[in-house]
Amino acid sequence: MELPFTVLSGPGDQPVAIDWEAVESWLGLGLPRDYKSLADAYGPLDIGEFIWLHVPCVQDGRFDYGDWLKDTHRLCRSWSRSRPPYTPPPFHPEPGGLLAWGHTRRSAYLFWDTSASSHPDQWPVVVFDADTAHAGNNPWQNLGMPLLEMLDAAIRESLPPTARRTAFLPEPRPWTPPPPPEPVAPSRRAALTEGSGLDALRQLVPPPATPYLGDDSWERLYERLGTRLPSEYVTLMETYGAGSWRSWLNFVTPLRDPDTSQSKGYRGLAAYVAETVDIYRELRAAHPEFQPLAVWPEPGGFLPFGDSIDGDVFGWLTLGEPDEWPVIIYPRHQDQGPPLPDCLVDTLLAWLRGQPVSSVFERLDEADDPLEYATFQPWDDESYL
């Protein structure tokens, strides 16, 4: 194999001992020989300071080959539904589906077209360009060249003829295919369509054995906030505690003592509310057309309790008694909308069931199994929020 680039030294020069038999058995298909040779010799590579070639490896908290494949295929499938030609191509593990192997620093994702040939060495590279997708145009381009030929053409055209170990993964370890998923309890599957309220939510997403709330009390929190909170929220928190729903919606730890937790760099709900409403007031003073809400403790003001990983802030409009407060979202990337029509638990349940709730909420792709994404990750006393 003649490489079109020179491999430089980099972090973690030791190769990754990949069990190709296990990887290809898990995938259900063989992989190109050139790709396997590169992976065996060098591990994950940053080629021409532009193309990241991923290999079956794992580094805690940074990369997992199986998760990356799944997330990349899901993202590009979902985006393709709203861009020309409006029909996503098949993705692995569908027969002949596209199989991701890397991406670029301009947010293009790189695949093989496994339907093009029965010989993996002849699979052409297919590109999904996220910038083109954001512009509303067809993001797909088949380059018609296998991996090394495509890399050679890219280097001849514009890229430096060098590669090095990806700095993002200085200490990669061999990746082990995950075990088959556990059977789904019939009660969980039934909860996708049956029941309502907290009882249905508990069936759909079993709560942790020991919910984490912090070491303070509700009464002391109410004193700090200057108000009681909706009983529905209190019950939900006492059932699940602080944590992240579907790895997207984060509920702040409610009962952290700000006098002690702030010294550790952690936040509880009282500190989170104070910080968030102060920021909102500053933004409202500069751009009132984009920040139209009153904020607590102003009459009817917005009182936040959590946020999404996209920067959307979730809270209540403090209209009337706490149990009457409607839930509202201060969106990061949209104009301010009205309060949500349903209560907190019903909204959460509908979202986890895959039902449309609000354009702000992360949506499932129609090919997703809602049960796979109906998750709650509890936090503990070392969690930042």
Side-chain angles (χ1 to χ4, degrees):
M1 177 183 63
E2 183 177 349
L3 298 180
F5 50 80
T6 300
V7 179
L8 306 174
S9 61
D13 288 325
Q14 296 300 317
V16 182
I18 300 170
D19 185 344
W20 290 111
E21 182 178 354
V23 171
E24 292 177 326
S25 175
W26 179 78
L27 288 170
L29 74 175
L31 293 171
R33 288 176 295 179
D34 287 343
Y35 169 76
K36 292 192 288 186
S37 296
L38 278 173
D40 281 336
Y42 306 111
L45 281 177
D46 184 352
I47 301 169
E49 301 179 6
F50 185 71
I51 295 173
W52 288 354
L53 181 141
H54 290 309
V55 306
C57 69
V58 62
Q59 185 165 332
D60 293 342
R62 292 195 175 191
F63 182 80
D64 178 281
Y65 175 72
D67 290 344
W68 178 77
L69 280 182
K70 175 184 172 184
D71 293 344
T72 300
H73 293 177
R74 179 175 181 259
L75 174 68
C76 295
R77 179 192 298 113
S78 179
W79 279 2
S80 294
R81 295 193 192 281
S82 58
R83 277 78 176 177
Y86 303 107
T87 301
F91 291 85
H92 185 272
E94 296 180 56
L98 298 178
L99 179 65
W101 60 264
H103 68 282
T104 76
R105 295 190 180 216
R106 289 184 182 171
S107 299
Y109 296 86
L110 306 172
F111 298 82
W112 288 298
D113 180 0
T114 69
S115 70
S117 174
S118 60
H119 299 288
D121 295 342
Q122 299 175 15
W123 289 345
V125 172
V126 176
V127 179
F128 178 93
D129 190 323
D131 289 341
T132 302
H134 281 303
N137 300 316
N138 185 354
W140 292 104
Q141 181 182 8
N142 190 324
L143 301 184
M145 296 177 282
L147 176 62
L148 279 190
E149 186 178 340
M150 170 264 180
L151 293 176
D152 182 72
I155 287 170
R156 290 178 183 276
E157 181 176 331
S158 60
L159 300 183
T162 58
R164 66 177 70 245
R165 169 64 62 82
T166 305
F168 175 68
L169 299 175
E171 299 177 350
R173 295 180 286 104
W175 177 77
T176 302
E182 295 288 335
V184 175
S187 59
R188 286 199 68 212
R189 180 68 64 183
L192 285 174
T193 56
E194 299 174 5
S196 61
L198 187 60
D199 288 342
L201 184 62
R202 290 173 61 96
Q203 289 295 322
L204 182 62
V205 185
T210 307
Y212 177 67
L213 299 172
D215 54 7
D216 212 342
S217 70
W218 289 109
E219 291 303 323
R220 283 173 59 84
L221 173 63
Y222 298 159
E223 290 176 10
R224 291 187 173 97
L225 293 177
T227 180
R228 303 186 71 83
L229 297 177
S231 56
E232 176 195 43
Y233 166 79
V234 174
T235 301
L236 178 67
M237 297 306 295
E238 290 180 341
T239 303
Y240 287 92
S244 181
W245 293 87
R246 213 165 88 186
S247 300
W248 185 81
L249 175 54
N250 305 311
F251 278 65
V252 177
T253 306
L255 304 184
R256 274 207 176 115
D257 184 339
D259 296 333
T260 58
S261 61
Q262 287 288 77
S263 64
K264 298 180 181 179
Y266 305 146
R267 291 187 292 176
L269 184 60
Y272 176 79
V273 169
E275 177 183 319
T276 304
V277 299
D278 282 350
I279 292 172
Y280 192 97
R281 286 192 189 95
E282 292 178 5
L283 293 172
R284 186 179 60 184
H287 301 285
E289 68 276 21
F290 299 123
Q291 279 76 223
L293 300 178
V295 292
W296 180 260
E298 299 169 27
F302 178 59
L303 196 159
F305 60 77
D307 52 35
S308 77
I309 62 171
D310 295 318
D312 312 293
V313 182
F314 285 67
W316 303 277
L317 287 185
T318 53
L319 301 167
E321 295 300 315
D323 286 345
E324 300 172 342
W325 293 350
V327 178
I328 192 169
I329 305 169
Y330 167 42
R332 175 67 177 84
H333 300 289
Q334 301 180 26
D335 292 337
Q336 180 63 59
L340 300 181
D342 296 319
C343 67
L344 178 59
V345 169
D346 286 348
T347 298
L348 191 58
L349 180 61
W351 174 55
L352 294 172
R353 284 171 164 172
Q355 300 169 4
V357 175
S358 160
S359 60
V360 175
F361 278 81
E362 182 199 42
R363 297 188 179 185
L364 294 180
D365 183 74
E366 62 186 58
D368 292 332
D369 180 355
L371 275 185
E372 188 176 350
Y373 296 91
T375 62
F376 176 75
Q377 179 62 46
W379 292 341
D380 54 29
D381 60 358
E382 295 299 317
S383 304
Y384 174 61
L385 288 176

